[in-house]
Amino acid sequence: MLTHREESLQRDINRIRDYVQKMSHQAERALKDSLTSYLENNRQMAYGVILRDHHIDMKEKEIDRLCLEFLVRQDPVAGPLRFAYITIRINLEIERVGDYAESIARQVLKLYDNPYTGLNDEIKEIANLSISMFHDSVKAFLDQDPELAKKSIEIEAAVDVLRLDFNRKIVSLLSEQKIPAESVDPLMTIVRKFERVSDQARNICMEALYMITGEYTKHPGADVFRILFVDENNSCQSQMAEAIASSFNLPKFIFSSAGIEPLQIDRSTIEFMKSKGIDLARVAPKAVHQIPNLDHYQVIVTLSEEALKAFPQRPRKVIFLNWPTPDPSKLSDSQTVKTGSYEKTYDFLKNQIKDLVNAIIDTDEESGGV
């Protein structure tokens, strides 16, 4: 039988949980309505999302007030203390999700007089994944379900890959003049906001895991430093860069390469790298979306103008570097000139990579570890 204090403690916790649930339902409805307003070009629904954001803001303030009152009145310890602390943090994450829904609705209004439906399926897929992830993240918190939290975290990587694919496709459509220029920014903002919803959902899951276990779950891949080299076809410079970097045999680094439109590795590239003691004969070219754990890469290095254009909106928390490097495999000059061009590209990449890696190691030592 519960004591009077235990009953009072549980009553306050239930009240706070009820408010969190109501607020999350409002935020989830706002996300769904913002998506529907886009798909149906429904201006009235978009206005409704914008107007209702005020209610989410009010819920956030009320939850903060309840949590602070709970801390003062109950003086909780252990699990109840973690609950109050994490609720305050999650409360902010949910409020931000409401802000993203409002922002999406405002972009829908910009598209109202000139809607573009050619990317509806892509946007719908990204949105549905993000909304589902948000729903499950809050459920994991309320139900104290660590397995659901861990499962939801895994979805974020898929959302990030879809967003990169979307960016690449919209740039291609724009260059081919198949999409109105004035539609590009609103569409990319809509996708970016839905991607940010998945980020907030991941944060909620991480906080839920801390509340349940009392330990912060380290972000996957945080024990290594990942660098991705990207060019147009992943058939020459990016493959050279990955091979050179990997030859340094650095245990705390993962190097990868990819192309915007992958093609078979050029024979001249294979022969040149063979002269350097590196075998690329059995290496398969990859597209950016085929890179495992793409969202965990800390640095992306673009090696061509086409690669740079593929990232009009830079991924969050990623350091972007641009090393424009001529593709020696495309030269039609004599073998001597071609070999000289390969040597120049090889030396350039080796020196750049060495300086970058050394800078990362020095910075890591100053901060106390990767």
Side-chain angles (χ1 to χ4, degrees):
M1 185 174 179
L2 296 176
T3 66
H4 175 73
R5 170 174 165 72
E6 288 172 337
E7 288 181 351
S8 175
L9 193 75
Q10 191 59 53
R11 186 167 53 249
D12 284 353
I13 289 175
N14 290 342
R15 183 184 297 114
I16 293 170
R17 283 165 49 85
D18 183 58
Y19 265 87
V20 171
Q21 188 172 51
K22 289 177 180 177
M23 180 181 176
S24 68
H25 284 169
Q26 289 178 336
E28 185 175 340
R29 179 193 173 188
L31 289 172
K32 290 179 177 178
D33 284 355
S34 67
L35 173 62
T36 302
S37 69
Y38 163 72
L39 294 174
E40 298 179 0
N41 198 30
N42 189 325
R43 183 162 55 191
Q44 181 175 331
M45 185 173 287
Y47 279 131
V49 172
I50 295 169
L51 294 171
R52 289 195 304 270
D53 184 58
H54 171 71
H55 300 304
I56 298 175
D57 293 341
M58 294 301 293
K59 280 287 194 305
E60 182 209 11
K61 293 178 181 178
E62 182 62 15
I63 290 171
D64 273 348
R65 185 185 66 81
L66 290 173
C67 286
L68 291 174
E69 286 182 356
F70 176 74
L71 291 170
V72 172
R73 185 172 60 252
Q74 300 289 0
D75 192 21
V77 296
L81 177 60
R82 285 203 305 273
F83 169 79
Y85 170 69
I86 293 304
T87 299
I88 292 172
R89 294 172 64 89
I90 285 177
N91 186 33
L92 179 60
E93 306 286 356
I94 297 174
E95 190 274 335
R96 285 174 179 166
V97 168
D99 288 344
Y100 296 147
E102 181 197 17
S103 177
I104 292 167
R106 292 184 183 278
Q107 301 306 314
V108 170
L109 294 177
K110 292 180 181 180
L111 291 167
Y112 185 79
D113 293 326
N114 191 23
Y116 179 78
T117 61
L119 293 166
N120 281 16
D121 289 343
E122 289 83 350
I123 291 177
K124 186 177 180 180
E125 184 177 12
I126 293 171
N128 285 335
L129 273 178
S130 298
I131 295 170
S132 174
M133 186 179 174
F134 172 66
H135 173 88
D136 288 347
S137 69
V138 177
K139 189 175 189 303
F141 166 70
L142 294 173
D143 295 349
Q144 297 189 36
D145 187 341
E147 294 307 314
L148 180 59
K150 293 175 183 176
K151 182 180 178 181
S152 297
I153 289 172
E154 296 174 357
I155 299 175
E156 188 204 11
V159 176
D160 289 343
V161 169
L162 288 173
R163 184 193 165 195
L164 287 173
D165 284 346
F166 178 87
N167 289 350
R168 180 168 58 86
K169 186 168 185 178
I170 204 169
V171 168
S172 176
L173 290 171
L174 183 61
S175 65
E176 296 171 6
Q177 298 183 336
K178 293 181 178 179
I179 182 174
E182 57 270 22
S183 298
V184 172
D185 186 61
L187 290 172
M188 295 190 76
T189 300
I190 288 172
V191 168
R192 184 167 68 252
K193 296 302 180 180
F194 275 122
E195 187 265 341
R196 292 292 289 122
V197 169
S198 72
D199 290 338
Q200 302 305 127
R202 177 184 60 82
N203 292 344
I204 293 172
C205 289
M206 300 291 278
E207 299 292 357
L209 287 172
Y210 172 65
M211 184 191 72
I212 297 165
T213 66
E215 297 179 0
Y216 270 115
T217 304
K218 196 173 185 180
H219 196 284
D223 56 334
V224 295
F225 206 97
R226 289 173 163 83
I227 300 177
L228 175 65
F229 301 100
V230 183
D231 61 11
E232 188 174 355
N233 305 125
N234 195 215
S235 61
C236 185
Q237 312 103 295
S238 60
Q239 290 285 359
M240 292 174 67
E242 179 186 355
I244 292 168
S246 298
S247 70
F248 294 156
N249 295 317
L250 298 168
K252 288 193 174 183
F253 284 79
I254 291 178
F255 301 101
S256 301
S257 65
I260 306 306
E261 296 180 3
L263 296 176
Q264 194 65 33
I265 298 179
D266 185 80
R267 173 54 56 181
S268 298
T269 303
I270 294 174
E271 292 300 323
F272 174 80
M273 294 302 288
K274 186 176 181 180
S275 71
K276 299 294 183 180
I278 298 173
D279 185 8
L280 296 181
R282 298 179 181 178
V283 175
K286 300 178 292 296
V288 173
H289 66 82
Q290 293 176 309
I291 300 297
N293 299 315
L294 180 62
D295 60 319
H296 297 153
Y297 277 75
Q298 294 93 331
V299 175
I300 293 179
V301 180
T302 55
L303 301 171
S304 70
E305 291 302 318
E306 289 301 317
L308 184 61
K309 292 176 183 178
F311 297 94
Q313 298 292 333
R314 298 180 179 183
R316 188 175 61 92
K317 297 183 294 188
V318 176
I319 298 171
F320 246 79
L321 300 174
N322 184 33
W323 301 345
T325 311
D327 185 346
S329 69
K330 294 182 178 180
L331 293 176
S332 58
D333 298 314
S334 67
Q335 189 60 41
T336 301
V337 173
K338 200 168 188 176
T339 301
S341 180
Y342 267 109
E343 287 286 357
K344 186 175 181 179
T345 297
Y346 181 89
D347 290 341
F348 170 79
L349 291 173
K350 186 174 183 179
N351 291 330
Q352 290 281 84
I353 294 169
K354 186 180 294 184
D355 289 341
L356 174 60
V357 166
N358 286 336
I360 291 170
I361 293 173
D362 289 344
T363 304
D364 177 46
E365 290 175 350
E366 290 176 5
S367 62
V370 174

